[in-house]
């Protein structure tokens, strides 16, 4: 337990009567103690809030002098920062002070995509958005208007959309990122993993990463736990075609052939089952389907997996025994982005089943069952009933449990199709880069009756908008409360640190004013976002003034695993861990994960793999001057041996750092990107960090820096179970710029 967690100041239960009425209790509440003064920032006003630069949402203490934010540091009281921020969080002032920010409402003057706008008043801009939405509603119904949303401020617009009558609220982070993982673990254990993932890295004795780049994906306390676990002697197994930062710390690095994780997982399970290395008592007590699993993996020997994965049979056996040797505190990390080859739900299932064999779910050093604060809801009127969703036509993707952003895009049609989508409201997500196949996205955008974009920066999607609504940054606004599942459970507050710059506005204000123009006043009875927060806190038995002072209200640690005495329960149809899934079978899918070999890259081409930079969150930060001092552009990683014999470069071999263009299987070219020639990647793949290679003319700093993997992702493999778009199925070859 960290020092921070012992610092809770227990307080009296303000507002107990309201809490009791709402069914909530206050007896376990604590608030953070006042912060220790920092001599370097004495005299600064300190405002707690939480970060928006990635989904981890770390607690931040913002130092303010006059109207300037002088420094951002981690809130020691916040369980998801523990006094530290990652480089992106510290560099949040670069987002606040970005000279390229959207500064005023804009209306489009030329064709969508030509990025030519004229400034207008907020009243004019909001009137146009309301008119666009109303016209579509009148012709096709409210469900013909869809919201794409990414980021915490999107909750105001989700509320607006539901009040308007549409439940087409889609986050690309589902079908383009974490969706297969959520469905795979839900099928197995009856619960999704959510954000942040409830993994007990701190107590794991062995950590297995399969295509997950901890340390490059800088999710603050997860990385803190990872580093501390390794320091304490936890073992690490890394499966990755690339020698990642984590691989450098690993006992075993398995440079697997891309797209063959399921084969390796099945072979590992074969070894664990045939050698009886599994946790038999745990499986007997909690799981069903073991016999079916044993039969399924009986022929999935390491020798079977070798030609698929490229991992030698003896190494597969050795690592299987190694991983099982640390059970139950042997954590197979679930990763996050899981949309790779179209069999991604089954891949997630294979990882989940392996964890069950290790007895790792619900055990210390594995997957925990954290608590969650049930904060009172704001007493809004009931939302209108909505009709059937249009993102999953003809019964496709039966196990998707969120709206599919790519499905909404596909359902977007031109005039006269009554059951399609005809207008988009886009909040904080650059759909040109977030959705696969930008050509399709562009086509759908041109078919729209109306497109409004709410954003902080002039990203590519902004250039297509009919109306642009400039939101202020997270440091300039209040947002709704955040109460994730975590141990200890907590409620975090985002509050305004400084006044909004320029003529930008907070999301709550934009949603409320738009609501008024749509005659939805009844759904916006409050005056400010802060009022919503205070009402909810008070109704939950918490003192808003105290929460505002500390930025977070933290509950007591609670039992979260079997060793703590927590009974394990599984919300699956059987009430058990489902190794073989009857749910999948009933929908016509395989009850157990099957391996399908991926397509091979054509001769002279490489599979395009993608990942993260530790100092950027994709397009959200690549225009940030402070962060680009550390990294301004990406590089394409290419195997050193391959570089020596690269077709087209025979007479003049490729040099380290030389700029090349990448050309994909459909003839789409990237912008020039420098090459990193390295032995740290397999020869059949190249690697790019996502979020670079911008083309938007308003992103004056990021424009033209590096290459965009999104631009090259014109092919997808769709997961038939939940509609996720596998994007690691694109191939590229390299050329010198200027080659015809
Ligand atoms: S991990 Fe970094 S970017 Fe993400 S919320 Fe925390 S400080 Fe912000």
């Amino acid at each position: 337990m960290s020092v921070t967690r012992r610092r809770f100041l227990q307080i009296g239960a303000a507002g107990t009567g309201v809490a009791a009425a709402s069914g909530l209790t206050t007896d376990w509440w604590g608030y953070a103690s006042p912060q220790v003064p920092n001599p370097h920032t004495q005299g600064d006003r300190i405002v707690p809030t939480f970060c928006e630069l990635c989904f981890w949402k770390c607690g931040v203490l913002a130092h303010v002098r006059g109207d300037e934010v002088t420094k951002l540091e981690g809130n020691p009281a916040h369980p998801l920062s523990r006094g530290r921020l990652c480089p992106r969080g510290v560099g949040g002032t670069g987002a606040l002070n970005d000279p390229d920010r959207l500064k005023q409402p804009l209306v489009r003057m030329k064709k969508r995509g030509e990025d030519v706008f004229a400034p207008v008043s907020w009243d004019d801009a909001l009137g146009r958005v309301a008119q666009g939405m109303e016209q579509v509603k009148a012709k096709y119904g409210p469900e013909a208007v869809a919201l794409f949303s990414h980021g915490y401020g999107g909750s105001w617009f989700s509320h607006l959309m539901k009040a308007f009558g549409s439940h087409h609220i889609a986050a690309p982070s589902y079908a383009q990122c974490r969706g297969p993982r959520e469905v795979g673990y839900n099928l197995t254990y009856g619960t999704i993993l959510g954000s942040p993932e409830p993994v007990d890295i701190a107590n794991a004795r062995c950590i297995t990463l399969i295509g997950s780049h901890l340390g490059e994906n800088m999710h603050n306390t997860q990385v803190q736990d990872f580093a501390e676990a390794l320091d304490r002697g936890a073992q690490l197994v890394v499966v990755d075609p690339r020698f990642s930062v984590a691989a450098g710390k690993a006992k075993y690095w398995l440079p697997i052939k891309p797209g063959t994780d399921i084969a390796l997982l099945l072979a590992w399970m074969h070894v664990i089952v045939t050698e009886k290395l599994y946790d038999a008592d745990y499986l007997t007590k909690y799981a069903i389907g073991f016999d079916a699993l044993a039969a399924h993996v009986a022929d999935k020997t390491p020798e079977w997996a070798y030609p698929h994965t490229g991992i030698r049979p003896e190494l597969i056996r050795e690592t299987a025994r190694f991983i099982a040797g640390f059970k139950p505190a042997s954590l197979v990390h679930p990763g996050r982005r899981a949309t790779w080859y179209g069999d991604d739900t089954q891949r997630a299932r294979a990882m989940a089943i392996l964890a069950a064999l290790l007895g790792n779910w619900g055990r210390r050093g594995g997957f925990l069952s954290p608590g969650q604060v049930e904060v009172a809801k704001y007493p809004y009127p009931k939302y209108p009933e909505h009709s059937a969703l249009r993102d999953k036509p003809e019964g496709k993707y039966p196990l998707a449990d969120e709206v599919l952003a790519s499905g909404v895009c596909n359902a977007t049609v031109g005039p006269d199709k009554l059951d399609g989508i005809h207008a988009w409201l886009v909040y904080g997500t650059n759909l040109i880069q977030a959705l696969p196949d930008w050509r399709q996205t562009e086509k759908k955008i041109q078919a729209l009756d109306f497109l409004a974009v709410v954003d902080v920066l002039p990203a590519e999607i902004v250039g297509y908008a009919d109306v642009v609504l400039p939101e202020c940054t997270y440091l300039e606004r209040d947002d709704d409360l955040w109460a994730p599942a975590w141990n200890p459970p907590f409620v975090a507050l985002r509050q305004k640190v400084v006044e909004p710059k320029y003529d930008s506005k907070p999301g709550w204000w934009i949603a409320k004013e738009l609501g008024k123009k749509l005659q939805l006043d009844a759904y916006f009875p409050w005056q400010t976002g802060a009022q919503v927060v205070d009402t909810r806190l008070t109704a939950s038995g918490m003192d808003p003034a105290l929460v505002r002072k500390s930025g977070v209200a933290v509950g007591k640690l609670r039992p979260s695993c079997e060793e703590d005495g927590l009974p394990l329960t599984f919300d699956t149809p059987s009430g058990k861990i489902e190794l073989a899934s009857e749910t999948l079978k009933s929908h016509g899918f395989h009850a157990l994960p099957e391996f399908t070999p991926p397509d091979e890259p054509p001769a002279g081409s490489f599979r395009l793999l993608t990942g993260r930079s530790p100092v950027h969150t994709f397009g959200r930060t690549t225009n940030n001057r402070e962060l680009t001092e550390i990294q301004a552009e990406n590089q394409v990683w290419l195997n050193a041996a391959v570089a020596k014999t690269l077709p087209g470069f025979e007479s003049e071999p490729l040099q380290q750092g030389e700029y090349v263009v990448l050309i994909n299987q459909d003839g789409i070219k990237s912008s020039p990107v420098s090459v990193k020639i390295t032995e740290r990647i397999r020869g059949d793949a190249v690697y790019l960090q996502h979020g670079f290679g911008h083309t938007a003319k308003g992103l004056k700093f990021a424009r033209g820096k590096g290459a965009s993997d999104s631009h090259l992702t014109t092919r997808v493999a769709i997961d038939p179970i939940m509609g996720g778009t596998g994007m690691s199925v694109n191939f590229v070859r390299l050329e010198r710029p200027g080659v015809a």
Side-chain angles (χ1 to χ4, degrees):
M1 192 183 301
S2 71
V3 173
T4 304
R5 288 176 182 172
R6 289 198 290 267
R7 277 196 195 146
F8 305 137
L9 175 68
Q10 301 303 314
I11 62 144
T16 306
V18 180
S22 66
L24 302 167
T25 60
T26 57
D27 60 348
W28 55 278
W29 279 107
Y31 293 89
S33 59
Q35 305 307 316
V36 179
N38 177 340
H40 302 293
T41 52
Q42 266 178 5
D44 284 1
R45 191 162 56 90
I46 296 179
V47 186
T49 186
F50 64 80
C51 183
E52 180 70 5
L53 294 174
C54 86
F55 72 91
W56 209 252
K57 302 187 186 74
C58 297
V60 169
L61 296 180
H63 293 249
V64 187
R65 217 169 286 168
D67 56 0
E68 286 298 313
V69 177
T70 55
K71 178 181 174 182
L72 300 173
E73 63 183 355
N75 185 348
H78 194 291
L80 288 178
S81 51
R82 301 186 209 139
R84 297 182 190 176
L85 299 179
C86 83
R88 299 163 297 168
V90 174
T93 45
L96 175 69
N97 299 320
D98 192 326
D100 297 341
R101 277 176 54 175
L102 292 165
K103 299 182 175 73
Q104 59 211 323
L106 303 169
V107 295
R108 180 169 59 81
M109 301 304 289
K110 291 201 172 171
K111 189 169 180 276
R112 285 182 187 145
E114 290 188 14
D115 207 349
V116 179
F117 294 94
V120 291
S121 68
W122 271 101
D123 188 55
D124 188 354
L126 291 168
R128 290 174 194 239
V129 178
Q131 188 183 31
M133 291 172 69
E134 289 287 21
Q135 282 176 351
V136 167
K137 182 178 181 175
K139 275 167 93 174
Y140 309 106
E143 294 288 1
V145 181
L147 169 68
F148 293 89
S149 176
H150 187 70
Y152 199 64
S155 63
W156 306 110
F157 295 91
S158 297
H159 169 61
L160 174 77
M161 287 298 287
K162 289 180 199 161
F164 182 72
S166 175
H167 284 239
H168 282 120
I169 299 167
S173 59
Y174 184 72
Q176 280 66 57
C177 183
R178 64 190 157 79
R181 182 192 79 167
E182 304 298 29
V183 174
Y185 281 78
N186 195 23
L187 284 164
T188 314
Y189 295 104
T191 180
I192 65 164
L193 296 176
S195 302
E197 301 87 7
V199 284
D200 188 15
I201 293 175
N203 290 304
R205 294 172 59 222
C206 178
I207 300 160
T208 301
L209 303 180
I210 307 182
S212 170
H213 317 138
L214 281 190
E216 290 169 64
N217 52 357
M218 272 286 181
H219 301 138
N220 190 349
T221 44
Q222 191 166 99
V223 178
Q224 290 184 38
D225 285 347
F226 184 49
E228 285 166 19
L230 295 182
D231 275 353
R232 271 202 316 277
Q235 298 295 320
L236 179 62
V237 176
V238 172
V239 182
D240 199 320
R242 189 174 62 90
F243 191 77
S244 61
V245 169
K249 315 279 179 204
K251 165 95 173 167
Y252 293 100
W253 171 47
L254 277 56
I256 194 167
K257 181 177 176 181
T260 67
D261 289 2
I262 293 178
L264 175 68
L265 287 158
L266 292 173
W268 271 349
M269 288 192 252
H270 169 92
V271 176
I272 289 170
V273 168
T274 56
E275 298 187 10
K276 299 195 183 339
L277 303 175
Y278 49 84
D279 188 331
D281 292 344
Y282 178 91
L283 293 174
T284 303
K285 193 168 172 192
Y286 296 124
I288 59 166
F290 180 79
D291 290 345
L293 173 68
H296 183 66
V297 299
D299 60 351
K300 308 297 185 302
T301 61
E303 288 71 19
W304 164 82
Y306 175 42
H308 296 302
T309 60
I311 310 295
R312 287 178 288 109
E314 57 273 27
L315 188 55
I316 294 177
R317 281 204 170 79
E318 189 175 324
T319 46
R321 292 169 187 151
F322 185 78
I323 290 166
F326 294 96
K327 71 176 182 300
S330 186
L331 173 68
V332 181
H333 192 283
R336 185 165 180 87
R337 185 176 162 215
T339 44
W340 294 351
Y341 298 96
D343 55 2
D344 304 302
T345 301
Q346 291 289 20
R347 176 181 170 275
R349 280 263 302 144
M351 292 169 71
I353 295 166
L354 175 60
L357 291 180
L358 298 169
N360 185 243
W361 183 276
R363 294 273 187 75
R364 186 160 292 137
F367 292 81
L368 303 176
S369 293
Q372 189 166 16
V373 180
E374 283 185 46
V375 186
K377 290 193 165 76
Y378 192 90
Y380 288 121
K382 197 168 175 288
Y383 295 126
E385 294 296 323
H386 67 96
S387 54
L389 292 170
R390 301 170 185 180
D391 62 316
K392 306 172 197 77
E394 297 151 14
K396 280 184 178 169
Y397 321 127
L399 295 173
D401 52 9
E402 289 188 28
V403 174
L404 305 174
S406 38
V408 169
C409 185
N410 291 339
T412 299
V413 290
D416 302 331
K417 183 130 187 330
L418 293 177
D419 61 350
I421 304 280
H422 293 266
W424 294 359
L425 178 59
V426 180
Y427 175 84
T429 174
N430 184 12
L431 294 181
I432 301 297
Q433 290 214 341
L435 295 178
D437 198 352
W438 54 272
R439 300 168 305 177
Q440 170 84 348
T441 310
E442 271 195 349
K443 200 168 132 201
K444 298 297 183 178
I445 286 173
Q446 299 301 355
L448 283 166
D449 288 25
F450 185 71
L451 170 61
V453 174
V454 183
D455 216 320
V456 174
L457 283 170
E460 282 78 7
I461 185 65
V462 170
Y464 293 85
D466 300 329
V467 180
V468 180
L469 304 175
E471 194 189 24
C472 55
T473 67
Y474 67 99
L475 293 169
E476 300 162 298
R477 66 183 196 239
D478 293 290
D479 275 324
D480 208 347
L481 292 165
W482 185 50
W486 196 250
N487 196 21
F490 67 93
V491 179
L493 180 79
R494 171 166 292 142
Q495 57 187 334
K496 182 171 70 176
V497 173
V498 287
E499 289 300 321
K501 287 180 188 261
Y502 316 115
D503 197 11
S504 63
K505 299 282 186 189
W508 63 261
W509 184 92
I510 301 171
K512 179 179 167 68
E513 293 302 311
L514 187 52
K516 279 203 252 177
K517 293 207 180 285
L518 291 164
Q519 277 84 52
L520 299 172
D521 308 57
Y523 291 92
F524 296 91
W526 36 266
Q527 295 309 307
T528 65
Q531 235 179 47
V532 176
V533 166
D534 289 356
T535 302
R536 295 186 65 199
L537 286 172
T538 304
S540 305
M542 288 175 264
D543 181 342
L546 280 174
V547 181
R548 289 196 175 282
K549 198 169 167 196
S550 57
V552 65
V554 185
K556 290 174 184 163
L557 283 168
R558 40 176 282 160
S560 62
C561 60
E562 199 181 44
E563 291 88 338
D564 292 342
L566 185 77
L568 300 192
T569 56
F570 305 95
D571 198 12
T572 54
S574 63
K576 300 266 190 178
I577 300 169
E578 301 203 346
L579 302 176
S581 169
E582 287 301 317
T583 305
L584 280 174
K585 202 167 157 192
S586 69
H587 285 93
F589 302 115
H590 293 294
L592 284 155
E594 294 281 350
F595 170 66
T596 311
D599 289 347
E600 297 290 332
S605 286
F606 305 90
R607 187 176 299 280
L608 177 62
L609 302 179
T610 62
R612 284 176 165 266
S613 158
V615 294
H616 285 291
T617 307
F618 315 138
R620 192 166 280 202
T621 62
T622 44
N623 203 60
N624 180 323
R625 276 33 168 202
E626 291 179 24
L627 297 176
T628 48
E629 277 182 22
I630 309 171
Q631 184 188 5
E633 59 188 73
N634 58 357
Q635 289 193 296
V636 57
W637 290 38
L638 177 70
N639 176 271
V642 167
K644 288 184 187 149
T645 57
L646 196 63
F649 293 80
E650 294 88 349
S651 57
E652 195 183 339
L654 196 55
Q655 300 298 307
Q656 186 72 268
E658 186 180 341
Y659 278 76
V660 295
V661 292
L662 308 177
I663 303 159
N664 80 354
Q665 68 284 332
D666 297 321
I668 302 294
K669 275 192 182 188
S670 76
S671 46
V673 58
S674 82
V675 67
K676 175 180 173 124
I677 298 174
T678 174
E679 285 160 2
R680 290 173 52 191
I681 188 166
R682 285 176 56 99
D684 52 2
V686 294
Y687 171 77
L688 275 180
Q689 290 170 338
H690 177 68
F692 294 86
H694 285 279
T695 54
K697 64 184 181 191
L699 296 176
K700 296 197 180 67
F701 204 78
R703 189 179 185 203
K705 295 220 169 63
S708 164
D709 60 295
S710 307
H711 191 69
L712 297 162
T713 303
T714 51
R715 180 189 287 179
V716 291
I718 306 226
D719 188 329
I721 298 173
M722 52 64 65
T725 53
M727 292 178 271
S728 298
V729 293
N730 290 272
F731 304 116
V732 294
R733 58 191 171 83
L734 281 67
E735 267 186 12
R736 287 202 158 90
V739 173

